[in-house]
Amino acid sequence: EDAGPATLENECVEDAECLAGKGCSSGVCVALADGAAPSVITDPVDDVPTEESPNLSCVGQPNSTPAGPATATLYGAVTRFGSGLKTYDIRVQVFDATTFDPSECADVKEGAEQEECYEAYGTPIGEALSQKVQLTQELPESCAGHSECPIGYRCIKNDLGNECLEQYGVFEIEGIPSNTPLVLRSTATKSKSKWHTTYSFNVFVFADQIDDEGRYRFDATMVSHGQWLLTPNTVGLGDVPPERGVLGGRIRDCRTDERDSWAIGSVKLGLASPPKKFVFFNELEDDTVPLDDRTETNILGRFAALDVEPGWNILSGYASIDSASVELGALPVYVFPNSLTVVSWPGRQPYWSQK
């Protein structure tokens, strides 16, 4: 049986099925972006919005199959959403998205037993435990941005200026297939109460981006328990119940021959099974705060859907281009209880040297 969602309450076939002010975007009712601020892409080197409309050439198209190696060593940092411990001893597992359907766990008794089912589901293509960075270079005396620091380090401001400080563990996994949709699962093996398991959907190793050493970078993600509580509380919601989940990530455009997928601002979003609240954020990369009155993505493309029913769901959206609502397609995605699901969509090739 094919993986994917059943009919959900916010699904649609035509605009007339949606409430006033909404349209049917790729099968999901979404607030229209007609007349909204233009959806432009942001240059990730300096986080400055351009005047360019997003490249949407990949929307609704089959998976890309560029020429290149059939497999790669997937490596990266385990980034952290919110303050917290360094991300050591995080188990990062990679799955083939075309066969990844954890729906069987929905039938398991709710609570810890169900969470254990989800965290044990599937046979990974490969996995690794995040480790402390083994430096092969001297740290710079100071830094102006994160891209000047080694992987796993961040440029942090202190009383004497800025310096590169270790924040994240790192991982690498050999033999990951290219040009194949993937799912990453990141699970804490120590200090479990400080973390929530995080699933990254819409991951893709582009064969033409594998480096000369056969390596491809894609950072995994974890969310700290403190941030898990802070985000809903900041916008006036109570804690997300443990039997419900959260979906978040960034809206990015399609990659081009000249650049990676850049963040898109002013995008309206909808879910087929709606959250208790969509939240969007301020414009600061390193001091992310949800804004209660914001209704579309910021210049960094960030969003979160809080308190969502677990199970298969569909994400869709509208960009505002030439004062019209332009569909961004639809992404089937699974929401897990007491866990975060992360997506980069519709573009799949994030820029990694972000300030």
Side-chain angles (χ1 to χ4, degrees), residues 247-261:
L247 171 69
R250 298 195 198 232
I251 305 304
R252 304 181 191 270
D253 79 340
C254 308
R255 71 180 194 141
T256 72
D257 292 337
E258 291 78 33
R259 63 168 176 79
D260 305 317
S261 300

Side-chain angles (χ1 to χ4, degrees), residues 48-126:
V48 173
T50 69
E51 295 182 355
E52 293 181 53
S53 295
N55 171 30
L56 302 179
S57 61
C58 63
V59 172
Q61 299 302 308
N63 291 320
S64 177
T65 56
T71 62
T73 295
L74 185 70
Y75 77 102
V78 180
T79 62
R80 181 187 63 238
F81 186 50
S83 59
L85 301 173
K86 294 182 177 69
T87 54
Y88 304 149
D89 301 304
I90 303 297
R91 179 177 291 109
V92 180
Q93 298 172 299
V94 183
F95 300 88
D96 183 338
T98 63
T99 58
F100 188 83
D101 182 8
S103 301
E104 63 190 52
C105 294
D107 297 328
V108 176
K109 183 180 178 181
E110 293 185 4
E113 185 180 349
Q114 188 184 60
E115 283 188 52
E116 290 171 3
C117 178
Y118 279 119
E119 292 181 4
Y121 170 80
T123 302
I125 300 168

Side-chain angles (χ1 to χ4, degrees), residues 8-32 269-272 316-318 327:
L8 300 172
E9 65 177 276
N10 208 28
E11 284 190 271
C12 56
V13 176
E14 56 186 7
D15 292 345
E17 299 176 47
C18 302
L19 297 175
K22 294 187 175 184
C24 187
S25 176
S26 301
V28 178
C29 291
V30 179
L32 293 167
L269 295 172
L271 279 173
S316 190
Y318 282 125
E327 295 184 21

